[in-house]
Amino acid sequence: MIHDYEQKLLQLIDDNIDSATDDELFAGGYLRGHISLAAADCEQQGITDIVQMQQKVKQSLLDAKSELSPSDFLIVSQLLQQLLVLNKFGML
């Protein structure tokens, strides 16, 4: 379940590559790493709840906040929020 959800999120990011701005490409690439790490962590811990995975991605991003400029952090956070909204409304 977690692996499938990870693949859906990554595919959604990939599907927008052709029309993405430079900022969106950066955010997607950066977020891919956090999504994959969260999925791997969930699988290692036996977590199958997507909400817990989402929390892990959010926490991972917050933990890495100092790596990004404030504007880059905002761009990445906005992309993550868009992905989570799509999931909430069953669009994934």
Side-chain angles (χ1 to χ4, degrees):
M1 179 115 171
I2 293 294
H3 177 72
D4 292 340
Y5 182 65
E6 172 195 14
Q7 293 306 309
K8 288 178 184 178
L9 291 176
L10 297 179
Q11 186 61 52
L12 189 58
I13 291 169
D14 290 347
D15 287 347
N16 292 316
I17 287 177
D18 291 337
S19 62
T21 65
D22 287 344
D23 286 342
E24 292 168 337
L25 289 171
F26 164 76
Y30 189 83
L31 199 50
R32 286 178 68 86
H34 289 275
I35 291 168
S36 293
L37 285 173
D41 190 42
C42 286
E43 288 180 359
Q44 183 179 29
Q45 294 180 21
I47 295 170
T48 59
D49 183 25
I50 289 173
V51 173
Q52 285 183 295
M53 180 187 160
Q54 292 172 342
Q55 291 301 325
K56 285 185 175 291
V57 175
K58 288 179 186 179
Q59 188 60 54
S60 178
L61 189 57
L62 285 173
D63 291 346
K65 185 176 182 178
S66 65
E67 296 177 358
L68 300 170
S69 69
S71 60
D72 285 344
F73 180 77
L74 180 62
I75 292 165
V76 174
S77 296
Q78 287 173 338
L79 177 57
L80 176 59
Q81 191 59 39
Q82 289 172 355
L83 295 173
L84 297 181
V85 166
L86 290 174
N87 178 64
K88 181 178 180 181
F89 291 106
M91 298 174 150
L92 281 181

